[in-house]
Amino acid sequence: MKQFQYVQPATQQAVLEVINKPGTKIIAGGTNLVDLMKRGVTAPDKLVDINHLPLKHITSTPKGLYIGALALNSVVSENKLVAEKQPLLAMALKSGASPQLRNMASVGGNMMQRTRCGYFYDTAMPCNKRVPGSGCGAYEGVNRMHAIFGASSQCIAVHPSDMCVALAALDAVVIIAGKKGEHRVPFTEFHRLPGDHPETDNNLPFGELIVGVEIPNNNLQKNSYYLKVRDRQSYAFALVSVAAALDIENGIIQNARLAMGGVAHKPWRLFDAEKLLIGKKASEESFQQAAQLAMQGAKAYGHNSFKLKLAPASITEALKHAAGLV
Ligand code: SF4
């Protein structure tokens, strides 16, 4: 591993001064970054430890629920306010990684984690995300875990988070601090598709810091479900996951939120399928129609062809669970 400097600036303002220079990386839990450094995928000159900043709080606000960027995944998943106001988020978090990793991983770090594409981690293989212009090993290679939506000829990787899928479904907003103050970005616009620049995972401006996320109040608590289909029941990334939340009155869907994980370079929100569900009866038939609509534009790359069937089946199943039909 390349030698690096380790610093712990005392304040958020001091952190912003330091991260505004090339070659710096922020470290919180380090559950992904340390792996990347050990394997030579990333080699920062300077690590900026932010663990002491006061960004761990979880509070109820008039508009919704505020979660600090340094709140641990385990703490958020067990928090009473989260369970009461946004149970879908708690469910998604509990399905991620392992208890040990959740005890280290922060909310901001979860958002910033990188793809688990095997070619990205193997420095002997071509990978446009690791070395722009070197090619994509997965495109015609082993791509069982890879994208079926929004990919490009440059990269077909998926974002690995479960938490982010729930936050995308729940219309969360990312709060970002920079030298000019704070600004807010809708969660669905935080991560990006690969296009011609797969080396860039998200739209966090250079030199800025995620300080928290806010989830607006909703009426989706009673009928929500996070379904994660994976190779084993713990410590495995999603083949396909679905965050589903419904507001149902007298059997009719008043509002719907749907997003998928394991299928795209970013959490994949299913806006058209949501619209289709509004005003429909909460039934398996409606859910199958939404699932079919959600699959428009899906494309597989060989080993991941099974996702074309698994994804709509998972959407239907998640909606059935959310509606209490199973
Ligand atoms: Fe690299 Fe993306 Fe291709 Fe994987 S899918 S090898 S991350 S460019």
Side-chain angles (χ1 to χ4, degrees):
M1 195 194 296
K2 185 181 127 182
Q3 290 214 338
F4 58 89
Q5 256 191 316
Y6 169 85
V7 294
Q8 206 176 40
T11 63
Q12 183 173 306
Q13 196 54 37
V15 166
L16 290 171
E17 298 289 339
V18 179
I19 62 172
N20 204 22
K21 298 184 181 68
T24 57
K25 287 260 178 221
I26 291 170
I27 186 161
T31 57
N32 186 214
L33 180 60
V34 174
D35 282 347
L36 293 166
M37 290 172 68
K38 282 185 189 166
R39 293 180 186 220
V41 176
T42 194
D45 299 319
K46 187 180 281 187
L47 278 191
V48 184
D49 187 339
I50 61 167
N51 281 296
H52 55 291
L53 297 183
L55 299 173
K56 290 196 169 102
H57 50 293
I58 302 170
T59 49
S60 190
T61 71
K63 286 186 187 167
L65 184 68
Y66 184 95
I67 303 173
L70 288 172
L72 297 179
N73 285 191
S74 54
V75 171
V76 180
S77 72
E78 299 293 344
N79 181 274
K80 277 188 184 163
L81 275 176
V82 176
E84 178 196 318
K85 292 178 87 115
Q86 307 296 347
L88 179 65
L89 175 61
M91 207 173 175
L93 275 165
K94 284 177 185 166
S95 77
S98 65
Q100 292 90 340
L101 285 165
R102 295 198 293 271
N103 271 331
M104 288 298 291
S106 64
V107 165
N110 190 320
M111 291 164 61
M112 295 300 289
Q113 67 177 304
R114 308 209 69 190
T115 185
R116 294 324 199 265
C117 171
Y119 297 91
F120 178 63
Y121 285 78
D122 185 344
T123 55
M125 301 302 286
C127 172
N128 289 323
K129 186 179 276 299
R130 178 172 28 79
V131 182
S134 63
C136 173
Y139 198 89
E140 292 184 348
V142 178
N143 51 36
R144 181 170 175 270
M145 300 295 289
H146 288 68
I148 54 171
F149 292 111
S152 74
S153 60
Q154 299 287 304
C155 180
I156 58 171
V158 298
H159 193 265
S161 172
D162 295 295
M163 178 197 81
C164 293
V165 181
L167 288 174
L170 293 168
D171 288 328
V173 173
V174 187
I175 297 135
I176 296 170
K179 280 193 167 173
K180 291 181 185 162
E182 286 187 3
H183 62 103
R184 301 159 73 88
V185 175
F187 203 91
T188 48
E189 293 170 24
F190 181 80
H191 296 97
R192 60 183 296 282
L193 292 177
D196 291 336
H197 289 285
E199 71 278 10
T200 308
D201 294 340
N202 56 62
N203 293 314
L204 180 68
F206 175 74
E208 300 199 352
L209 176 71
I210 302 168
V211 292
V213 292
E214 192 167 56
I215 310 171
N217 290 323
N218 58 45
N219 289 324
L220 303 163
Q221 294 78 14
K222 272 196 217 149
N223 295 104
S224 65
Y225 195 79
Y226 189 75
L227 177 73
K228 180 172 180 178
V229 183
R230 48 189 155 170
D231 286 327
R232 54 178 184 267
Q233 268 304 92
S234 177
Y235 197 32
F237 293 99
L239 293 164
V240 166
S241 68
V242 181
L246 300 167
D247 178 8
I248 303 171
E249 270 179 36
N250 301 321
I252 303 298
I253 299 166
Q254 309 297 315
N255 208 343
R257 296 282 187 280
L258 272 175
M260 298 187 83
V263 296
H265 199 258
K266 60 186 283 186
W268 193 248
R269 180 85 179 256
L270 307 176
F271 290 107
D272 290 342
E274 290 173 6
K275 276 189 207 139
L276 179 142
L277 285 170
I278 293 171
K280 287 236 161 50
K281 194 174 163 204
S283 66
E284 181 161 2
E285 192 187 351
S286 307
F287 301 155
Q288 282 173 345
Q289 284 172 11
Q292 286 314 313
L293 182 63
M295 293 306 292
Q296 281 186 358
K299 180 182 173 187
Y301 296 87
H303 294 104
N304 67 348
S305 299
F306 70 95
K307 290 192 183 185
L308 298 178
K309 286 189 178 170
L310 180 62
S314 301
I315 294 168
T316 305
E317 194 66 14
L319 284 165
K320 280 167 63 183
H321 278 278
L325 301 187
V326 284

